Amino acid sequence: MQDQPKLKIKKRSNFVLHIHPATVLIDSIKFNRTFGLGGMALLLFLIQSLTGILLRFAYVPSPDKAYDSILYIENSILFGGFVRNIHHWSGIFFVIIAFLHFVRVFYSQAIFVPRRVNWIIGIALLILVIFSNFTGYLLPWDQLSFWAVTVATNMLSYIPFIGEGMLRIVRGGNDVGSATLLNFYNFHTGILPITMILLMIWHFWKVRKAKGVAVYEGISDYRVPSYPNLVLKELVTGLILIAIIFLLSALLNAPLQDRANPAYSPNPAKAPWYFMGIQELLLHIHPFFAFVVIPLFFFGGLIWFPFAIREGRQGEWFHSEKGKKLALQAAILALILTPAAVLLEEYILHIEDWLPGWPKGISEGLFPFILLGGSLGIYVFYLFRKFKASVHEIIVALFTVFIMGYIILSIIGIWFRGEGMVLTQPWNI
Ligand code: HEM
Ligand code: HEM
């Protein structure tokens, strides 16, 4: 323990110090506590809003003008292409950073009371970030965006009873067309950003109410003034992120393919990259399980966990040293077994052929799902028997299996599926 000299903090009526408390625990501002990911997410939202507002001056949300307005932005407006590039690349960064922040928060166990509500607000924010990207995806109205949105919205029809209705509401009709473009535009530039602003205000207030980020008890209670200690770190992280985005936007143009042609579907037609894990899963298991049951299990579990198990070691990475070891082991296991399962299902395990005449929901859905659930059950039993793992440690390991599994499925879907969605090498796509 370090002795804490009495801190003299000058009274400042300054905006930054209203966001932060006057002093913070020295351990809470170490970079490897948060990796600055929450702050980066906020900065990316600001960049998106600023560049998005600029793009709105020239963008026209109608199928016969949208593509031309993008060409106009790129070719006729000073720095138009650069602004579009920034919006495109930082939109991708936003999804990745929000995802990493979500993973960091989970692994540092900052999900129990008093952070439980913030964890759920965070899950809502993650979904909104993904939908912000998705609704923006359609706007250029080129072949890439048109077909990616067609493929991804199609997945909605797999939801029983309400799926077809939802699909028609989202598209504003049966097919992707002018009503879809207007719907997406209004969500993208109105409803979604406004909802996010409200949720973010609530999110930050909850961080303050919880007395800052989670730091494991027993650690030093030495405090330092937020300014300059925390504010300077945030400034440096922010400037580095801006520099990376500017550099990328100067060197690499946002993609723009041919004008959308509803009569000609590219082969393969793929969903946006963050939905490719689901599209890959759909090739192996009945859509009801891939699109409804498995995501419900995952997100339901994430929300259930801090309610069912009310306490945890907040701020302690992976709950414990054993938790860390098991997470690493789970990551390696998923890294090897996910591609193995994809190959097995693709070439050997054809349950639907072995059970001709059975409803597809059972042969292609229920049975593979039981196989998957059974394997996870055996794995949990193994963790419990061999390592005497606690509930927290088991959940950390299962979370790792899901996250790693989804990443691997996405990689296979994006880079290893060619024409007709057949498995192939990346250089043959
Ligand atoms: C909240 C986070 C946001 C994300 C993740 C996001 C993402 C995207 C993406 C991925 C595109 C397609 C860009 C392309 O590849 O061409 C796009 C386009 C667009 N966005 Fe956003 N956006 C966000 C916020 C906003 C906001 C707040 C506005 C305006 C108020 C806006 C206005 C636009 C416009 C006008 C386009 C069409 C121009 C174009 O495609 O280049 N966006 N957005
Ligand atoms: C727009 C997206 C988001 C923004 C701008 C944002 C911003 C922040 C900021 C600035 C913090 C303070 C510390 C830090 O940097 O980690 C924070 C903490 C937190 N965030 Fe987020 N966040 C977002 C999304 C999420 C998501 C996706 C989750 C989880 C699903 C989440 C859950 C939390 C929790 C539980 C804390 C408290 C962490 C702790 O006490 O250690 N947030 N967020």
Side-chain angles (χ1 to χ4, degrees), residues 129-292:
V129 173
I130 292 173
F131 280 111
S132 292
N133 192 303
F134 180 56
T135 46
Y137 215 98
L138 181 66
L139 304 185
W141 205 253
D142 63 345
Q143 277 292 75
L144 181 72
S145 68
F146 182 87
W147 287 101
V149 169
T150 303
V151 168
T153 47
N154 248 339
M155 293 185 195
L156 278 176
S157 62
Y158 303 136
I159 302 176
F161 311 119
I162 51 169
E164 292 289 343
M166 279 174 76
L167 179 66
R168 266 196 298 280
I169 292 174
V170 168
R171 287 187 179 170
N174 287 330
D175 301 309
V176 175
S178 60
T180 325
L181 185 56
L182 203 58
N183 270 359
F184 274 43
Y185 178 71
N186 282 323
F187 268 94
H188 188 77
T189 62
I191 295 171
L192 290 175
I194 290 171
T195 316
M196 284 178 78
I197 289 174
L198 295 177
L199 281 184
M200 276 192 282
I201 292 172
W202 193 11
H203 196 60
F204 300 148
W205 179 69
K206 280 277 173 194
V207 174
R208 280 295 295 267
K209 287 272 284 183
K211 301 208 165 54
V213 299
V215 176
Y216 189 48
E217 290 154 28
I219 236 163
S220 141
D221 53 5
Y222 197 92
R223 298 186 80 87
V224 289
S226 304
Y227 181 85
N229 299 284
L230 170 59
V231 177
L232 270 190
K233 279 188 181 177
E234 289 176 332
L235 201 68
V236 171
T237 315
L239 286 176
I240 293 175
L241 182 63
I242 291 177
I244 293 173
I245 291 173
F246 272 37
L247 199 67
L248 202 62
S249 305
L251 297 176
L252 275 178
N253 283 332
L256 187 67
Q257 295 188 351
D258 292 339
R259 190 185 301 270
N261 179 354
Y264 171 71
S265 157
N267 188 356
K270 293 189 180 180
W273 57 275
Y274 35 85
F275 289 145
M276 277 313 292
I278 299 181
Q279 199 181 348
E280 175 64 33
L281 203 58
L282 280 169
L283 297 173
H284 306 286
I285 192 164
H286 189 273
F288 175 62
F289 286 86
F291 193 66
V292 183

Side-chain angles (χ1 to χ4, degrees), residues 23-77:
T23 64
V24 277
L25 282 174
I26 191 157
D27 287 299
S28 73
I29 58 168
K30 290 198 172 127
F31 188 67
N32 63 6
R33 199 85 312 269
T34 64
F35 302 98
L37 291 165
M40 285 193 228
L42 173 62
L43 177 61
L44 288 166
F45 178 78
L46 296 177
I47 295 177
Q48 288 308 88
S49 303
L50 202 74
T51 48
I53 288 168
L54 291 177
L55 288 168
R56 269 183 60 127
F57 279 98
Y59 178 78
V60 188
S62 83
D64 47 344
K65 303 220 176 77
Y67 186 77
D68 290 326
S69 69
I70 299 281
L71 289 179
Y72 180 72
I73 289 171
E74 297 225 317
N75 303 325
S76 309
I77 297 181

Side-chain angles (χ1 to χ4, degrees), residues 34 38-39 41-42 94 98 101-102 104-105 110 115 118-119 122-123 125-126 129 196 200 203-204 207 212-214:
T34 64
L42 173 62
F94 199 8
H101 177 58
F102 153 74
R104 166 331 254 174
V105 164
R115 298 183 174 81
N118 227 6
W119 168 241
I123 292 177
L125 278 170
L126 180 64
V129 173
M196 284 178 78
M200 276 192 282
H203 196 60
F204 300 148
V207 174
V213 299

